[in-house]
Amino acid sequence: MTDFDLSTIRNIGIMAHIDAGKTTTTERMLYYTGFLHKMGEVHDGNTFTDWMEQERERGITITSATVTCYWKKHQINIIDTPGHVDFTAEVERALRILDGAIGIFCGVGGVEPQSETVWHQADRYKIPRMAFVNKLDRIGADFEHVIEMIQDRLTKDALPIQLPIGKEDKFLGIIDLISMQAYYFDSNTLGFTFRTEAIPKDLLGQSEQARELLIEAVSEYDDDLLSHYVEGIDIPDALVRKAIRKGTITNQFVPVMCGSSLKNIGVQLLLDAINDFLPSPLDRGSVIGYDKITHKEIEVFPDSNEKFAALAFKVQIDKYVGKLIYVRVYSGSIKKGDMFWNHTNDKKERVARILQMHSNKKNDIDELHAGDIGALVGPKFTATGDTITSPDLPLLLSKMNFPDSVISIAIEPKTKADLEILNDALSKFEEEDPTFHVNQDKDTGQTLLSGMGELHLEIIIDRLFREFNVKPNVGNPQVAYKETITSNAVAEEQFVRELNGKGTFAGVKISVTPLRENQLKDGKRNLFDNLIDSTIIPEEFWTAIEESVFNALNDGPLINSTVERVKVSLIGGLYNPVDSTEASFRIATAMAVGKALRGANPAIMEPIMLLTVITPEEFVGDVISDINSKRGKIDIIRIQNEHVQEIVAEVPMSELFGYATRVRSISQGRVVYTLEFKKYEVVPPAIQTNILKRIRGY
Ligand code: GDP
Ligand code: MG
């Protein structure tokens, strides 16, 4: 594109419960848009069958971070957002950088717990959204019921802008409540062609009613529409669209659409709606970061002529190309060959290539502009969450926060040869996935993998085998414990040592105070407060002391796990102009922190999960008593319909290993559940005693 018009860009995510039809819908979107694109290049000989073959490989494309397609002079970047909560990091990072989203719901199941979770995650990021009720061809599909569920569980601001014509195997087409026309999609061309007709007589009354509701609701967002509506003047379609757009991009309205992706009904209308109603980068506006040196706020604008600023939101290691750094550009532009500055790690790096995923091909492009999304090749040190800019813009965008890894497993390679492959593979996974960590167990020397849940780690193990052909021995999953303190303490330590006739000396006095979780912001795990002045310890040592404090907090007094929710204050010290060194202050600090933590009634914390169980009524009692026996606390019991109930509970992760099997045996496989990390909490004293016995042997 030579003329770069930001208003024609859409960076959107598709959020859906597993099986709601995200992949199928995305496929159709790529098909309809890709076909148009290919039609312009007949000489390429891209026949229909070619395309179908590529489509079978689409699984790969969908797992890439973004796919770009063009629809009616708009560039749509689709950002992948997986449905499973074990991959919540993927969801969070997508939400951070996209401008709008489509929630896809199954016409039978409606709003499932996971789509509810993701929807509310998107609320936090104030992402404008539309909803697409898919699978209306399925037996049991009920558009109205799904609308009620959406209004009840997600947002009361949702209203249909379409109605289905028929349902189940009689689902024939779609009524557009804006143009008041019926759309029928031609199955011979896989829905590629469609025709419009007058609304069937038997649906006319219902359609007029629904339109009335819609116009009334959205006239609130546009005065022009309001006056037409109040005065009873004919309302042009464009005016209704404008009002829906205004309501949607300001997060006050959620248009609901319908269709069947599998039967190729409605997807083009969905594409139209993306262009019509979801925000462009201009609508989303400026982003606020802060100056790295002065810490003052900096606002960056979606304007290609400004200085370059972007966020690296995903790293992917590609078999052929190497490391791909996916970036969202917030202002300015970057060209192939440019240098950029990474302010998160203070490194200057060069961009060798810029790639865009177009349908299922990687296209080299020369430049990325404000508002755009693409992948950089060349940078070596840039990681997920880093801010990159032009060298003269000392900007840091707010950090991306990823949840804690709550479980770990130990693995062991079977052969020496495997060890090397294993290490390579694991460091690759670790680079790609900010919620996956690899550590060596200090005592046993084993390799510990930690992640978000059993499924997350199972997939890693499975990938080791499928992609690298290694099958390590795998231990049982363990909970990732943490430590905290439960009272205040003060400690003072001096480090005095004589080495080769030269003395070293430092004295540090600190206090520790327990913090509540809500006293910590921006993903911080602990706080440090320096309460001394340079007459007590000269300023040149302060950084070393602070670093040493945070280091010491990685090694808890009970089980050597990380310590969190502690405020450490530097309240005094001793210094000697001849003998004091940075190293001696580091050691004295580590000693003082360790002593203070031991004196502050340390406690072990465990991960607590949010467990959502959907169960037929007859198993409710068994499910609840099982949860109670697992130290669980029931939050809510909701009636889904006359046969099915939903139970939401907080349960310690350590009690949930093998829950899948347990639940199957309770209910003969008729109960489904999801698990999501909720928080860390101090364990009861008896449990702490057991953990200490197990880990320390006493
Ligand atoms: P995802 O897990 O959300 O990506 O869902 P998929 O697109 O993989 O779809 C899950 C299953 O539902 C697949 O078997 C699809 O063929 C099927 N499916 C998707 N859309 C529809 C639809 O509109 N109608 C029907 N009947 N099945 C659908
Ligand atoms: Mg899928």
Side-chain angles (χ1 to χ4, degrees):
M1 282 209 265
T2 42
D3 256 340
F4 198 76
D5 180 0
L6 266 183
S7 68
T8 61
I9 292 198
R10 299 288 177 276
N11 294 312
I12 61 151
I14 299 184
M15 320 186 304
H17 177 262
I18 290 164
D19 272 359
K22 188 178 76 157
T23 304
T24 310
T25 308
T26 313
E27 264 183 35
R28 298 305 188 272
M29 287 168 62
L30 295 176
Y31 174 70
Y32 297 128
T33 59
F35 201 91
L36 281 175
H37 180 73
K38 298 253 150 72
M39 287 285 274
E41 298 157 44
V42 181
H43 57 273
D44 281 351
N46 290 323
T47 63
F48 181 63
T49 40
D50 275 343
W51 180 252
M52 286 305 282
E53 237 163 47
Q54 291 170 340
E55 216 167 55
R56 264 180 246 131
E57 296 169 1
R58 186 56 42 70
I60 305 160
T61 319
I62 304 303
T63 61
S64 71
T66 70
V67 185
T68 297
C69 58
Y70 296 91
W71 180 250
K72 298 187 178 170
K73 302 208 166 81
H74 286 64
Q75 176 183 337
I76 302 174
N77 299 317
I78 303 170
I79 295 124
D80 195 33
T81 44
H84 196 282
V85 278
D86 269 19
F87 307 104
T88 170
E90 293 281 337
V91 179
E92 289 279 350
R93 72 166 138 215
L95 291 174
R96 172 71 190 274
I97 52 104
L98 47 77
D99 296 322
I102 305 170
I104 298 186
F105 302 93
C106 169
V108 182
V111 180
E112 312 251 8
Q114 266 171 8
S115 38
E116 197 174 341
T117 308
V118 178
W119 189 274
H120 294 307
Q121 265 176 310
D123 287 341
R124 273 194 279 129
Y125 289 85
K126 299 195 170 57
I127 308 279
R129 263 155 289 168
M130 321 196 284
F132 179 66
V133 180
N134 186 34
K135 298 201 184 185
L136 288 176
D137 62 299
R138 272 189 60 193
I139 293 178
D142 186 344
F143 184 61
E144 271 170 36
H145 179 62
V146 180
I147 297 273
E148 276 164 23
M149 279 179 100
I150 291 174
Q151 291 171 338
D152 183 40
R153 296 192 171 192
L154 305 181
T155 167
K156 51 181 188 1
D157 303 321
L159 272 185
I161 62 168
Q162 299 176 338
L163 293 181
I165 303 171
K167 64 176 178 179
E168 302 177 346
D169 58 345
K170 305 250 160 32
F171 178 47
L172 302 175
I174 288 171
I175 295 166
D176 172 25
L177 297 174
I178 302 167
S179 64
M180 288 301 268
Q181 278 183 313
Y183 284 74
Y184 298 95
F185 295 79
D186 199 340
S187 59
N188 294 325
T189 62
L190 295 180
F192 191 75
T193 51
F194 55 86
R195 60 180 201 285
T196 54
E197 281 180 22
I199 295 171
K201 280 211 182 64
D202 57 325
L203 292 174
L204 198 56
Q206 192 195 340
S207 305
E208 276 165 354
Q209 247 176 5
R211 177 180 160 93
E212 184 76 12
L213 261 181
L214 172 67
I215 304 278
E216 193 190 332
V218 298
S219 61
E220 202 183 307
Y221 315 122
D222 190 272
D223 290 342
D224 208 6
L225 177 62
L226 183 64
S227 60
H228 276 71
Y229 177 62
V230 175
E231 287 160 32
I233 313 170
D234 252 4
I235 303 172
D237 296 356
L239 196 51
V240 183
R241 289 208 179 87
K242 188 171 128 216
I244 294 176
R245 175 174 191 81
K246 278 191 182 168
T248 308
I249 65 181
T250 52
N251 275 295
Q252 302 177 80
F253 185 70
V254 174
V256 185
M257 318 187 56
C258 61
S260 161
S261 296
L262 188 69
K263 297 284 158 69
N264 304 309
I265 300 176
V267 177
Q268 291 95 327
L269 300 179
L270 186 62
L271 285 162
D272 286 346
I274 292 172
N275 290 352
D276 288 345
F277 307 133
L278 289 181
S280 76
L282 286 176
D283 297 313
R284 288 289 279 171
S286 63
V287 203
I288 309 261
Y290 60 93
D291 187 301
K292 197 182 162 180
I293 297 145
T294 64
H295 296 278
K296 286 210 183 86
E297 275 190 1
I298 302 183
E299 194 173 359
V300 293
F301 296 89
D303 180 344
S304 293
N305 299 318
E306 300 256 330
K307 287 175 187 167
F308 170 69
L311 182 77
F313 66 92
K314 176 162 177 146
V315 172
Q316 198 177 19
I317 318 283
D318 184 273
K319 231 192 241 167
Y320 305 105
V321 190
K323 190 160 154 179
L324 298 174
I325 318 262
Y326 283 87
V327 297
R328 154 89 199 224
V329 183
Y330 285 102
S331 83
S333 59
I334 191 159
K335 286 196 200 57
K336 206 163 79 177
D338 279 356
M339 304 292 299
F340 66 77
W341 197 262
N342 179 333
H343 289 293
T344 311
N345 64 11
D346 278 328
K347 288 220 155 61
K348 206 171 158 187
E349 300 216 73
R350 188 172 165 277
V351 179
R353 291 168 71 187
I354 303 178
L355 300 177
Q356 203 165 46
M357 303 294 294
H358 178 221
S359 296
N360 43 10
K361 285 201 303 258
K362 290 188 189 76
N363 279 359
D364 268 281
I365 54 174
D366 293 330
E367 201 170 353
L368 276 179
H369 301 263
D372 215 345
I373 284 172
L376 309 181
V377 182
K380 291 191 183 61
F381 305 106
T382 297
T384 300
D386 290 0
T387 303
I388 63 175
T389 67
S390 352
D392 56 346
L393 179 64
L395 170 82
L396 275 177
L397 296 166
S398 71
K399 264 179 48 187
M400 294 175 86
N401 293 326
F402 294 106
D404 290 304
S405 311
V406 293
I407 75 164
S408 62
I409 47 173
I411 60 165
E412 233 171 39
K414 289 191 177 123
T415 67
K416 255 236 162 81
D418 278 0
L419 178 67
E420 210 165 293
I421 307 174
L422 197 65
N423 286 341
D424 275 358
L426 291 176
S427 67
K428 175 189 136 151
F429 292 159
E430 202 175 16
E431 208 166 351
E432 288 182 343
D433 179 353
T435 57
F436 172 66
H437 305 286
V438 183
N439 292 300
Q440 301 302 326
D441 187 305
K442 262 185 268 173
D443 302 324
T444 63
Q446 276 173 320
T447 303
L448 277 184
L449 312 184
S450 40
M452 300 298 302
E454 276 179 289
L455 179 70
H456 187 199
L457 296 181
E458 255 165 46
I459 286 178
I460 299 262
I461 301 288
D462 184 52
R463 285 184 65 190
L464 283 174
F465 182 60
R466 278 191 302 123
E467 295 170 33
F468 298 90
N469 208 23
V470 279
K471 235 186 178 150
N473 295 320
V474 178
N476 289 327
Q478 306 284 334
V479 165
Y481 293 110
K482 291 186 174 179
E483 293 174 52
T484 189
I485 54 172
T486 57
S487 64
N488 297 333
V490 174
E492 190 170 4
E493 288 281 2
Q494 289 180 18
F495 179 70
V496 193
R497 177 86 35 103
E498 188 134 339
L499 249 180
N500 303 332
K502 192 184 175 312
T504 55
F505 173 80
V508 169
K509 184 175 184 183
I510 56 132
S511 71
V512 293
T513 314
L515 295 173
R516 269 172 286 114
E517 205 182 351
N518 60 12
Q519 290 174 292
L520 289 158
K521 298 211 172 60
D522 299 327
K524 288 207 174 85
R525 295 163 191 275
N526 296 295
L527 297 179
F528 174 71
D529 201 3
N530 182 354
L531 300 176
I532 60 163
D533 59 43
S534 54
T535 59
I536 298 176
I537 299 173
E539 229 173 302
E540 57 186 294
F541 299 113
W542 290 0
T543 310
I545 293 175
E546 180 169 353
E547 279 172 9
S548 178
V549 163
F550 284 108
N551 239 332
L553 290 170
N554 286 329
D555 196 3
L558 296 173
I559 50 171
N560 307 103
S561 56
T562 57
V563 180
E564 293 193 2
R565 298 182 204 166
V566 175
K567 180 171 155 183
V568 179
S569 306
L570 177 60
I571 53 176
L574 288 168
Y575 151 79
N576 155 344
V578 182
D579 295 334
S580 287
T581 59
E582 229 183 78
S584 55
F585 272 110
R586 280 182 202 274
I587 298 171
T589 304
M591 287 159 51
V593 172
K595 188 173 176 186
L597 293 176
R598 285 192 298 277
N601 293 309
I604 294 176
M605 295 198 291
E606 64 178 344
I608 307 289
M609 309 299 281
L610 198 65
L611 168 70
T612 306
V613 186
I614 308 236
T615 168
E617 211 172 13
E618 63 245 59
F619 305 119
V620 169
D622 287 345
V623 169
I624 289 179
S625 65
D626 184 56
I627 289 173
N628 287 335
S629 76
K630 294 181 175 340
R631 298 193 280 130
K633 285 190 226 86
I634 308 276
D635 277 351
I636 326 170
I637 301 175
R638 274 200 294 216
I639 300 189
Q640 273 208 334
N641 59 44
E642 60 208 290
H643 309 297
V644 178
Q645 298 197 11
E646 182 181 307
I647 300 159
V648 183
E650 288 178 20
V651 187
M653 180 67 223
S654 62
E655 305 280 341
L656 287 166
F657 290 129
Y659 191 62
T661 320
R662 175 94 191 112
V663 126
R664 219 174 294 131
S665 76
I666 293 179
S667 71
Q668 298 107 46
R670 289 173 57 209
V671 165
V672 292
Y673 73 93
T674 64
L675 272 181
E676 186 188 347
F677 170 68
K678 173 87 197 242
K679 61 181 174 191
Y680 268 88
E681 216 172 55
V682 170
V683 301
I687 303 278
Q688 173 151 323
T689 310
N690 284 340
I691 298 170
L692 288 174
K693 240 187 232 149
R694 205 174 63 233
I695 296 180
R696 300 202 306 207
Y698 58 87

